[in-house]
Amino acid sequence: MAPSIDLSFLTVQVLSALRQAAFLFLISSGLTLIFGVLNILNFAHGALYMLGAYFIYALTLHLTGPAGFLIALLAAPLGVAVIAVAIEAGLLRRIYKQEEIYQLLLTYSLVLIIDDLAKIVFGPEYKSIPKPDAISGAVTIFGGTVPVYTLVVLVLAPMMALVLWYLLYKTRTGKIVRATSSDREMADALGINMSALFTLVFAFGAMLAGFAGALAGPARTVFPGVGTEVIIESFVVVVIGGLGNLWGALIGSILIGTLETVGIIVFPEFEMSLIYLLMVAILVVRPWGLFGRPLKVKALSDKNLSMEAQEISPVHYSIHPLIRLIPLVLLLIVPLVAGRFYQFLLTQILIASLVAVAFNLLLGTTGLLSFGQMAFYGVGAYTVGLLAMKAGFGTLPALLLSPVFAALAAGVIGFFCVRLSGVHFAMLTLAFGQLVYTIAFKWYGFTGGDNGMQGIPIRPLPGGIDIGSTKAMYYFALAVVGISIECLRRIRSSAFGSTLKAIRENNQRAAYLGVNVKLYQWTAFVIAGAFTGLAGGLYAIMEKAITPDIIHWTKSGEPVFMTIIGGIYTFAGPVVGAAVFVVLNSYLVAWTENWALVLGIILLVMVLMLPGGVVGFINEKARGALSKRGWVRKWVFSK
């Protein structure tokens, strides 16, 4: 006898899934619209969603009743649109001609700024948004109890979707928007005012995010950072559906909304992994998403990037070559006069430097932007933790195996990722990274789950060398990181590294010359993953503890920040960027509660004022000064 279906339970779950899909569609439709026209994957979209929720909260404190709630619901997204106009006209417009990485970093810096400003203005507490009595109760449908507000959402969201469809397909402006999305160069050649169009589209997309936040606010709580949780789901939706495709956003929203609702019931232990598994599966079969199309990715050599020249730096001095040993001597001496705090801080900088230099083998040398790089950092860290705690391995053997397991993970993930390019590559690495994160977060029996692993034993090295103290750990990290960075320098300077640079400049041209582009990219991916895993192993030894937070996608943004701060097209840049980033993080947290605001402003200034990073800027100025003084012949410039 077949089991009976509980109709009341099914009704509640279906309506819950549709409500979640409605919220996701409103957010992702704005995100995909902005990408389709401006070609920007806007990380700040989640922060704009959060502002919509906060605005309706502030308005409902003064506007009561159904009429007041409706006014607040309409006014909140308009306020978000006004802020979006200022962002586009004042900031984004300055970097449209730069690489996508700078656009992503600028919008991410806005996330830090907006989140912290929301905390200052509205407070850090969770806010509940009151609903009018008319829509605050519940009704019974097929025996299931359904909140009235869920039905309100399921009416208003489709209405907004119809308005969006009408504006895009039945108005002249909508036709211009769709034409620009299909061929921006042709639209520009036809005399369309691109600046005004970009502002309009960005504001409208932000208004959709603000409306989603205002609509979702009364059904959920709002707090600083809620946009970060939402944006990752929105990325999954638009990538699954196809970047720039509204119908894809609709189908993707329904798929993810349903999967999240069903997953909590059917697979409670791994419901977090399901959406990323779906994303990976779809991108492996259809690399551009269900309804997407291949993006036009310009070669670096075709872009207007004056900063590329900053890779050329003076490497041979007229003074004695031994002068280069000064930094090493200082690193050996400083711990002898510095306290434990500075020894620990320097160890953090060393580990972060290895992560950044390894990451830049992908970004600066090969031209691949990975948003899941810290997954390999986590693999390396958990390798050391698991081998030391569960298998009784010594510290050195466990550390030596950390890059091996990280390389294996990178080999598997890279096999699928290098089939894609540009934003799709970045999003697939993000999906794999989040997949690793959810496994570590949920697998309590193996990884310890969200509790992580505490009390990792640090055993003496061969010869009885104890690295349990802060100073000993520093010198051990200095040796490992120094050797690793020298290996990466030699790789970058080799014929293999030159081939990677040729692929970065123009992969089609490299392919015509007989280079197996995908094999070289995959090899670079594996090498970067291995050294990142080694850094993760050092982290586990230094901290003697691991949590899944080190794998989260927001952590994968850190090597991007370090590389940008120091300089993408320089080898030393990521090391300088790592030092600046770690010091800023350490001191800003101690100096001010609003450290994220300060860090966001610093990143924003770096993107706008120093796109080549600190080292790139110094190289460029030094080159110009030497040329003017006629000293350039005393220097040998080489890549």
Side-chain angles (χ1 to χ4, degrees):
M1 183 176 176
S4 60
I5 298 175
D6 188 340
L7 188 58
S8 62
F9 177 79
L10 183 62
T11 301
V12 172
Q13 296 309 315
V14 168
L15 292 178
S16 296
L18 290 176
R19 187 183 74 170
Q20 175 68 359
F23 291 145
L24 285 174
F25 173 72
L26 289 173
I27 305 166
S28 59
S29 60
L31 184 66
T32 200
L33 186 65
I34 290 171
F35 181 85
V37 177
L38 279 69
N39 200 28
I40 288 178
L41 199 57
N42 180 21
F43 269 105
H45 205 68
L48 298 174
Y49 161 92
M50 178 192 69
L51 286 181
Y54 269 121
F55 286 170
I56 194 174
Y57 165 77
L59 290 169
T60 51
L61 293 178
H62 306 284
L63 301 173
T64 58
F69 182 82
L70 181 60
I71 292 172
L73 185 63
L74 296 176
L78 292 177
V80 174
V82 171
I83 292 175
V85 169
I87 290 173
E88 195 282 332
L91 299 174
L92 286 176
R93 194 173 292 179
R94 299 171 180 267
I95 61 167
Y96 282 141
K97 292 185 179 181
Q98 292 187 21
E99 281 188 90
E100 290 82 1
I101 178 62
Y102 293 96
Q103 299 165 2
L104 292 172
L105 187 61
L106 187 145
T107 57
Y108 191 82
S109 67
L110 289 175
V111 173
L112 298 175
I113 294 171
I114 294 172
D115 280 358
D116 233 27
L117 286 176
K119 188 184 299 182
I120 294 171
V121 174
F122 298 102
E125 303 85 7
Y126 283 55
K127 308 291 185 184
S128 296
I129 299 171
K131 300 184 289 288
D133 293 338
I135 57 174
S136 60
V139 295
T140 301
I141 301 177
F142 297 118
T145 302
V146 180
V148 173
Y149 194 72
T150 295
L151 302 179
V152 172
V153 171
L154 295 180
V155 171
L156 291 179
M159 287 176 60
M160 180 57 74
L162 288 173
V163 170
L164 179 61
W165 173 82
Y166 178 82
L167 291 175
L168 286 176
Y169 289 90
K170 297 298 181 181
T171 65
R172 182 176 180 274
T173 302
K175 293 177 181 178
I176 293 174
V177 169
R178 288 190 291 115
T180 305
S181 178
S182 298
D183 195 328
R184 186 158 62 172
E185 288 78 9
M186 181 60 71
D188 191 21
L190 292 174
I192 294 172
N193 187 336
M194 302 301 286
S195 295
L197 182 66
F198 284 3
T199 303
L200 174 66
V201 170
F202 192 81
F204 188 73
M207 187 179 71
L208 289 170
F211 183 73
L215 195 61
R220 304 171 175 178
T221 54
V222 57
F223 55 91
V226 67
T228 305
E229 297 181 0
V230 170
I231 191 62
I232 186 66
E233 293 180 337
S234 303
F235 281 151
V236 173
V237 166
V238 298
V239 171
I240 284 176
L243 285 163
N245 190 289
L246 283 173
W247 295 112
L250 176 61
I251 300 301
S253 299
I254 294 172
L255 285 173
I256 297 303
T258 303
L259 198 59
E260 286 185 336
T261 304
V262 173
I264 294 175
I265 301 168
V266 181
F267 303 105
E269 293 186 359
F270 294 101
E271 95 281 351
M272 294 175 63
S273 306
L274 294 179
I275 63 173
Y276 304 112
L277 281 172
L278 178 63
M279 181 177 172
V280 167
I282 289 176
L283 289 186
V284 167
V285 177
R286 290 187 60 84
W288 319 114
L290 294 174
F291 299 95
R293 61 181 186 276
L295 302 177
K296 297 178 180 179
V297 180
K298 286 187 177 181
L300 184 64
S301 57
D302 296 332
K303 294 182 179 180
N304 182 22
L305 294 174
S306 60
M307 71 202 65
E308 188 208 354
Q310 293 164 346
E311 181 177 5
I312 304 174
S313 56
V315 294
H316 295 296
Y317 299 85
S318 57
I319 55 178
H320 200 280
L322 289 177
I323 199 71
R324 301 180 197 174
L325 295 177
I326 290 178
L328 178 59
V329 173
L330 289 175
L331 287 171
L332 289 171
I333 294 176
V334 167
L336 300 178
V337 296
R340 290 181 60 191
F341 170 78
Y342 293 103
Q343 293 169 9
F344 183 77
L345 185 67
L346 285 170
T347 307
Q348 287 182 305
I349 291 173
L350 289 171
I351 295 173
S353 298
L354 180 54
V355 173
V357 173
F359 169 79
N360 205 38
L361 183 68
L362 286 180
L363 180 60
T365 307
T366 315
L368 296 174
L369 171 60
S370 170
F371 267 117
Q373 201 64 15
M374 295 305 276
F376 311 121
Y377 187 81
V379 170
Y382 274 99
T383 296
V384 169
L386 290 168
L387 290 177
M389 294 186 71
K390 297 192 175 185
F393 272 58
T395 297
L396 185 60
L399 179 66
L400 292 176
L401 285 173
S402 63
V404 175
F405 282 97
L408 290 173
V412 175
I413 293 174
F415 174 80
F416 298 104
C417 290
V418 296
R419 297 170 63 245
L420 308 180
S421 59
V423 173
H424 289 98
F425 174 87
M427 289 298 100
L428 187 54
T429 58
L430 184 148
F432 272 113
Q434 282 298 97
L435 192 57
V436 174
Y437 165 75
T438 56
I439 292 172
F441 190 84
K442 285 289 188 178
W443 200 349
Y444 287 91
F446 189 63
T447 65
D450 57 347
N451 297 318
M453 305 182 71
Q454 309 297 324
I456 297 173
I458 307 302
R459 298 181 175 92
L461 304 182
I465 301 174
D466 184 12
I467 59 170
S469 68
T470 306
K471 183 184 292 186
M473 180 63 212
Y474 166 77
Y475 282 118
F476 178 66
L478 178 62
V480 174
V481 171
I483 294 171
S484 300
I485 289 181
E486 176 60 19
C487 290
L488 286 166
R489 188 191 69 80
R490 290 178 178 271
I491 290 171
R492 188 174 184 270
S493 303
S494 66
F496 173 77
S498 298
T499 305
L500 293 180
K501 292 176 186 177
I503 292 171
R504 178 197 70 194
E505 298 290 328
N506 194 319
N507 59 10
Q508 289 185 345
R509 188 179 300 164
Y512 292 152
L513 292 174
V515 175
N516 189 334
V517 171
K518 299 305 179 187
L519 179 60
Y520 272 85
Q521 289 177 330
W522 179 82
T523 305
F525 195 88
V526 172
I527 293 171
F531 281 103
T532 304
L534 180 61
L538 285 172
Y539 170 84
I541 297 172
M542 178 187 70
E543 292 286 352
K544 303 181 182 65
I546 317 166
T547 62
D549 292 341
I550 64 172
I551 311 176
H552 196 264
W553 76 270
T554 52
K555 288 293 183 181
S556 289
E558 292 185 359
V560 182
F561 299 156
M562 298 171 194
T563 306
I564 294 291
I565 290 172
I568 290 179
Y569 299 116
T570 63
F571 182 77
V575 176
V576 174
V580 172
F581 184 82
V582 171
V583 170
L584 281 176
N585 255 345
S586 299
Y587 282 96
L588 286 178
V589 171
W591 286 343
T592 174
E593 293 181 357
N594 306 117
W595 61 269
L597 174 63
V598 178
L599 180 60
I601 293 173
I602 291 172
L603 291 174
L604 191 65
V605 171
M606 290 294 301
V607 172
L608 295 176
M609 306 300 294
L610 295 177
V614 174
V615 176
F617 176 78
I618 293 173
N619 283 347
E620 189 177 39
K621 295 303 179 183
R623 212 178 151 205
L626 290 170
S627 299
K628 287 180 181 179
R629 289 172 173 76
W631 296 349
V632 71
R633 293 180 183 178
K634 296 182 181 180
W635 299 66
V636 178
F637 295 95
S638 65
K639 289 191 177 182

